[in-house]
Amino acid sequence: MTYKKRTKKANQETQMERVKELTNMLEEGVRNFSYDPDHFKALLKMKALMPSYSFRNILLAMGQMEHASFIAPFKKWNELGRKVIKGEKALRILAPRFKKVEPDCSQEDVVEPSEGEVEVCGFIAVPVFDVSQTEPISDDQGALPIDELKPVLKGESEQAADIVNMAEWIAKNDQCPVTYGNAGTANGFYQPSLHRIVVSDRLSGNHRAKTLVHELVHSKVHRYSTVSKEEREVVAEGCAFVICSYFDLDTSDYSFRYVKSWSKSDDALLTYGSQICDVAKTIIQEFEEAKVTLSSAELVSA
């Protein structure tokens, strides 16, 4: 009994050392990561295509769809060669209402308003859709500049398949359904209100595993969280990198870029590093439990 306890403690210490090592690797990789100039060109091209909305309207859209990024009316998406996916619900933002200015006849020397002069008299709710709610009208239409921005993890590995199985087991135990299907332009997302995870069915096996772990972290840590978007995304992707790397799936090509894009300062990982380390260690322990349980189930079925 004493021997087993010591062995378990030694394993936990080794696990913690490995997690810290991977967290340091993440920090160094993000610090040294630099964007290709083409990345910024694509962002500028995308921004030029999109209608200009106020910060308030952007917040309104994100309040209805957390992962909203580029929004436009139905007609605008059609002009860009895209259509709104059937069944998608419109987001509502505010647009000003105008009325013609009438001269104030109670004042002397009234200056007549110029033809067509108007003023804002209120606001109305108008429907818009996020890019993730759209798809190309045809194969030769609907390409967007942001399509150039999306890094991908290629390949189908046994490690990825194992990670997916373990992550699904953990999510199931937490009564968090995992589905694979249309995630719009996102690779996946977590819906706190429904406590469910959706992962795109267009991803490679390696990318699917990484995305599932990222969303699993959200479901574990951010279901009721009110922290900043930066913290949520840096922590989720940081943990995904550590967990996947721990189980021999290298996601650095994607994760370093992702964390860098969400870090508002070079000190972001210093700020969230301890949290990434602690959360990753806790979830890795759940993965280890899942691994044992799934292995036992395979032996029984065999």
Side-chain angles (χ1 to χ4, degrees), residues 29-128:
V30 172
R31 187 188 304 116
N32 295 327
F33 179 84
S34 60
Y35 285 112
D36 188 312
D38 289 339
H39 180 95
F40 290 106
K41 289 180 183 178
L43 276 178
L44 292 174
K45 288 178 183 177
M46 190 66 191
K47 186 171 179 59
L49 290 175
M50 293 291 100
S52 179
Y53 292 115
S54 67
F55 182 65
R56 179 175 63 174
N57 271 330
I58 293 171
L59 288 180
L60 277 174
M62 294 184 70
Q64 298 163 73
M65 177 183 286
E66 188 179 12
H67 64 276
S69 54
F70 295 101
I71 56 175
F74 185 94
K75 184 178 179 181
K76 179 64 176 180
W77 287 122
N78 284 168
E79 291 173 2
L80 293 173
R82 299 181 72 84
K83 61 182 178 181
V84 174
I85 298 168
K86 186 177 180 180
E88 289 291 342
K89 185 178 179 181
L91 310 177
R92 296 285 173 172
I93 63 173
L94 297 176
R97 291 179 61 191
F98 298 96
K99 69 176 182 179
K100 288 186 177 181
V101 176
E102 297 294 338
D104 186 355
C105 297
S106 64
Q107 297 182 11
E108 296 182 1
D109 300 325
V110 171
V111 177
E112 292 291 338
S114 60
E115 185 178 352
E117 189 173 348
V118 295
E119 67 178 15
V120 176
C121 63
F123 293 87
I124 57 173
V126 296
V128 293

Side-chain angles (χ1 to χ4, degrees), residues 163-210:
I163 288 171
V164 167
N165 289 336
M166 290 185 285
E168 288 177 344
W169 184 88
I170 293 170
K172 183 178 180 181
N173 276 4
D174 196 31
Q175 297 182 334
C176 179
V178 176
T179 58
Y180 301 93
N182 179 27
T185 58
N187 293 320
F189 55 87
Y190 167 65
Q191 288 184 291
S193 59
L194 299 177
H195 191 44
R196 71 158 185 155
I197 292 170
V198 176
V199 177
S200 172
D201 56 3
R202 299 178 181 179
L203 303 178
S204 68
N206 290 349
H207 206 148
R208 183 186 306 121
K210 198 285 311 172

Side-chain angles (χ1 to χ4, degrees), residues 2 10 21 34 59 68 77 93 99 106 109 133 146 152 155 167 169 173 194 203 218 231 251 267 270 290 294-295 297:
T2 303
E21 177 187 337
S34 60
L59 288 180
W77 287 122
I93 63 173
K99 69 176 182 179
S106 64
D109 300 325
Q133 298 175 286
I146 55 169
V152 295
W169 184 88
N173 276 4
L194 299 177
L203 303 178
H218 279 315
E231 179 174 338
T251 68
D267 295 331
L270 292 177
L294 292 171
S295 296

